[in-house]
């Protein structure tokens, strides 16, 4: 009989293998197509397109860190632009999870993500929302209030700026691993327009509804960016 240690090691190896196979596109999860919204296939497309928007904006936002003080207006604007797509991606993946655990047939057929990505997901969501939420709060509070001490831990003074930086550190690791696991499947489903199932067509119902959601997301993001850039000038040099 195999020992508990061997069983655990085998389970871990299987989980890592499943994650690697999906991350590299060598295994493709089945996303059934349904009339109307497209079902799991439509949900996967909306999530993938939103994720690519998030990736592009995140990359631009990271570039502002090379001179965050000099590029503070861009830093705030890009951070604001990130909020709606982050919320939409959270909502679309949350909807898929709810439908799966509610026992909806097509979502049960699609199945859950690989275990590693499933465990990483909550950390990605929490760190992303924490990072963006504290970023918005910093703008609304202004620099002076943001740098006021909240508490002292182990001799270190904690303020809202350090909380924001802490969320960034966690997000950088979690989101980086998430991108490695999701980039190829997202590109395959969107840019490469690969069929959602072997032998099926690449067209998934609900295209105009997905476009409408993306347009609304962009409009809200633009409005939020304008509002936050003009909310407080105390961070500008």
């Amino acid at each position: 009989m195999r020992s508990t240690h061997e069983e655990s090691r085998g389970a871990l190896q299987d989980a890592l293998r499943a994650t690697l196979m999906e991350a590299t596109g060598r295994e493709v999860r089945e996303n059934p197509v349904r009339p109307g919204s497209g079902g799991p296939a439509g949900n996967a497309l909306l999530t993938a397109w939103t994720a690519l928007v998030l990736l592009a904006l995140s990359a631009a936002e990271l570039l502002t860190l090379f001179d965050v003080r000099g590029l503070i207006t861009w830093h705030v604007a890009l951070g604001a632009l990130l909020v709606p797509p982050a919320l939409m991606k959270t909502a679309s993946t949350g909807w898929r999870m709810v439908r799966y655990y509610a026992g909806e047939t097509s979502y049960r057929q699609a199945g859950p993500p690989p275990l590693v990505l499933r465990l990483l997901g909550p950390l990605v969501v929490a760190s992303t929302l924490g990072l963006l939420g504290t970023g918005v709060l910093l703008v609304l509070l202004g620099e002076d209030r943001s740098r006021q001490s909240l508490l002292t831990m182990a001799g270190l003074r904690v303020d809202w700026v350090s909380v924001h930086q802490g969320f960034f550190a966690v997000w950088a690791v979690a989101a980086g691993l998430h991108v490695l696991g999701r980039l190829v499947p997202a590109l395959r489903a969107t840019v490469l327009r690969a069929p959602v199932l072997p032998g099926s067509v690449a067209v998934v119902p609900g295209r105009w509804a997905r476009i409408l959601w993306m347009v609304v997301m962009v409009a809200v993001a633009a409005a939020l960016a304008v509002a936050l850039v003009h909310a407080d000038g105390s961070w500008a040099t």
Side-chain angles (χ1 to χ4, degrees), residues 75-129:
H75 188 74
V76 171
L78 288 167
L81 289 174
L82 280 164
V83 174
L87 293 176
M88 179 175 287
K89 187 171 184 294
T90 300
S92 64
T93 53
W95 170 259
R96 189 183 187 98
M97 182 180 69
V98 168
R99 299 290 283 176
Y100 174 82
Y101 285 109
E104 206 281 328
T105 303
S106 59
Y107 284 90
R108 297 293 294 186
Q109 184 179 348
L115 179 60
V116 174
L117 295 177
R118 200 154 71 241
L119 294 175
L120 185 63
L123 185 59
V124 174
V125 172
S127 61
T128 300
L129 298 183

Side-chain angles (χ1 to χ4, degrees), residues 2-187:
R2 298 177 62 187
S3 67
T4 302
H5 176 72
E6 290 175 334
E7 291 177 351
S8 299
R9 182 179 178 181
L12 177 60
Q13 290 175 339
D14 289 343
L16 292 174
R17 177 187 173 280
T19 301
L20 182 61
M21 294 294 285
E22 184 166 319
T24 55
R26 284 179 285 178
E27 284 188 2
V28 180
R29 258 198 307 161
E30 178 179 343
N31 281 299
V33 179
R34 293 291 179 265
S37 66
N43 174 271
L45 279 174
L46 179 62
T47 302
W49 277 116
T50 307
L52 292 180
V53 171
L54 271 172
L55 179 60
L57 290 173
S58 296
E61 178 78 323
L62 288 173
L63 290 177
T64 67
L65 296 181
F66 287 104
D67 183 16
V68 68
R69 178 63 74 173
L71 298 172
I72 189 63
T73 299
W74 282 103
H75 188 74
V76 171
L78 288 167
L81 289 174
L82 280 164
V83 174
L87 293 176
M88 179 175 287
K89 187 171 184 294
T90 300
S92 64
T93 53
W95 170 259
R96 189 183 187 98
M97 182 180 69
V98 168
R99 299 290 283 176
Y100 174 82
Y101 285 109
E104 206 281 328
T105 303
S106 59
Y107 284 90
R108 297 293 294 186
Q109 184 179 348
L115 179 60
V116 174
L117 295 177
R118 200 154 71 241
L119 294 175
L120 185 63
L123 185 59
V124 174
V125 172
S127 61
T128 300
L129 298 183
L131 177 64
L132 296 176
T134 54
V136 171
L137 184 62
L138 291 180
V139 175
L140 298 179
L141 290 176
E143 184 169 9
D144 291 340
R145 291 175 63 190
S146 295
R147 295 191 182 280
Q148 291 178 0
S149 178
L150 296 173
L151 54 90
T152 301
M153 296 178 58
L156 298 176
R157 189 175 66 88
V158 178
D159 55 27
W160 282 115
V161 175
S162 57
V163 172
H164 183 63
Q165 293 169 339
F167 273 116
F168 173 77
V170 177
W171 172 84
V173 176
L177 293 173
H178 182 76
V179 168
L180 290 176
R182 290 300 194 198
L183 182 58
V184 170
L187 290 174

